[in-house]
Amino acid sequence: MCGRFVMSRAASDLVALFDVDVTGDTLAEPSWNIAPTDPVSLIVDAAPRGDDAGGPPVRRLATARWGLIPSWADDPRVGVKAINARVETAAEKPTFRDAVVSRRAVVPATGYYEWVTAPDGSKAAHYVHLPDDELLLFAALYEWWRDPRVAQGDPSRWVLSTSILTREAAGPLRELHDRMPVMIGAEVMEEWLDPDTEGDHDLLEGISGESLGQAERAVFRPTSQVGVPQ
């Protein structure tokens, strides 16, 4: 699964690295201990509107709350239980199925933490990352939630939130946990984000399979310093 992760790159680095066209007004700061409900960087490709309709997708870098709040929710606190979405069932679950169809994203990360339980019951944190400081690209879903308690016209009325997809662990990561984030490569990212791509169970199954190669490349080490630069 994925319950804490690291994003040490500045937003300006992400803009250049992913050819971002538009950025949000406020972008997430680098952090070595991102927890549920914290702000995270979110990359989406949106269909152009207005005079640009019919043109290529517009790539956006935004800041989202980690923990997806479905549009029909009465209380935003439900997002705390939706930081992860199982790739095997997301297309059918009411919380995620609409996002699978048309609101897919990528959450970039430097690495993530996983805790391993020892025979004596103690837990040790491990830091998972790719070689050569390569970014992990977590396949994600997102939603916009309208807060009925906030006045119309107030920008804070709309909350952007996200959930990271997970799958059965593979490769060396099986030593840490029975689940792992769905991690995709840059070539798969284009199809995953494309607003013209049909979002369904087949698409989820395909990116889940592509994640196997990233899992084989992943490395990890124990760390006693969660939340400090790696």
Side-chain angles (χ1 to χ4, degrees):
M1 61 176 297
C2 182
R4 295 287 177 102
F5 69 95
V6 175
M7 182 63 250
S8 62
R9 302 278 190 95
S12 57
D13 292 341
L14 300 180
V15 170
L17 186 61
F18 295 106
D19 295 324
V20 171
D21 300 306
V22 180
T23 63
D25 294 334
T26 303
L27 297 178
E29 296 289 337
S31 174
W32 286 264
N33 191 9
I34 299 173
T37 74
D38 282 353
V40 302
S41 294
L42 193 74
I43 299 171
V44 303
D45 280 358
R49 299 179 180 180
D51 295 340
D52 296 324
V58 176
R59 178 151 297 173
R60 300 177 182 273
L61 175 64
T63 297
R65 170 176 163 160
W66 187 20
L68 187 142
I69 309 169
S71 60
W72 43 260
D74 295 324
D75 189 335
R77 289 177 293 184
V78 300
V80 176
K81 298 181 179 180
I83 62 169
N84 294 151
R86 286 179 171 256
V87 73
E88 300 92 341
T89 59
E92 290 81 40
K93 293 289 185 179
T95 299
F96 306 115
R97 63 189 177 197
D98 289 345
V100 169
V101 173
S102 59
R103 287 181 287 279
R104 301 180 301 272
V106 162
V107 173
T110 311
Y112 72 96
Y113 299 109
E114 198 62 79
W115 278 261
V116 176
T117 303
D120 63 1
S122 62
K123 292 186 177 182
H126 288 66
Y127 181 63
V128 183
H129 61 99
L130 290 177
D132 303 321
D133 201 31
E134 181 182 344
L135 283 179
L136 294 165
L137 303 178
F138 296 149
L141 306 171
Y142 72 94
E143 279 286 4
W144 285 99
W145 179 75
R146 185 178 63 183
D147 190 340
R149 302 165 297 181
V150 178
Q152 188 172 355
D154 188 329
S156 65
R157 190 181 194 195
W158 290 95
V159 178
L160 177 63
S161 62
T162 187
S163 179
I164 294 170
L165 288 164
T166 68
R167 57 151 289 151
E168 181 181 0
L173 298 183
R174 285 179 293 190
E175 299 178 31
L176 300 179
H177 198 278
D178 61 351
R179 305 288 298 180
M180 69 178 192
V182 174
M183 301 171 286
I184 58 179
E187 67 286 350
V188 178
M189 171 181 168
E190 301 300 323
E191 179 183 5
W192 172 248
L193 294 181
D194 189 342
D196 292 329
T197 298
E198 181 178 0
D200 54 17
H201 181 75
D202 289 341
L203 178 64
L204 294 179
E205 189 174 82
I207 64 155
S208 179
E210 291 289 343
S211 188
L212 298 176
Q214 299 296 82
E216 290 291 346
R217 298 175 58 230
V219 294
F220 58 86
R221 63 176 185 273
T223 177
S224 59
Q225 302 183 49
V226 172
V228 300
Q230 302 294 327

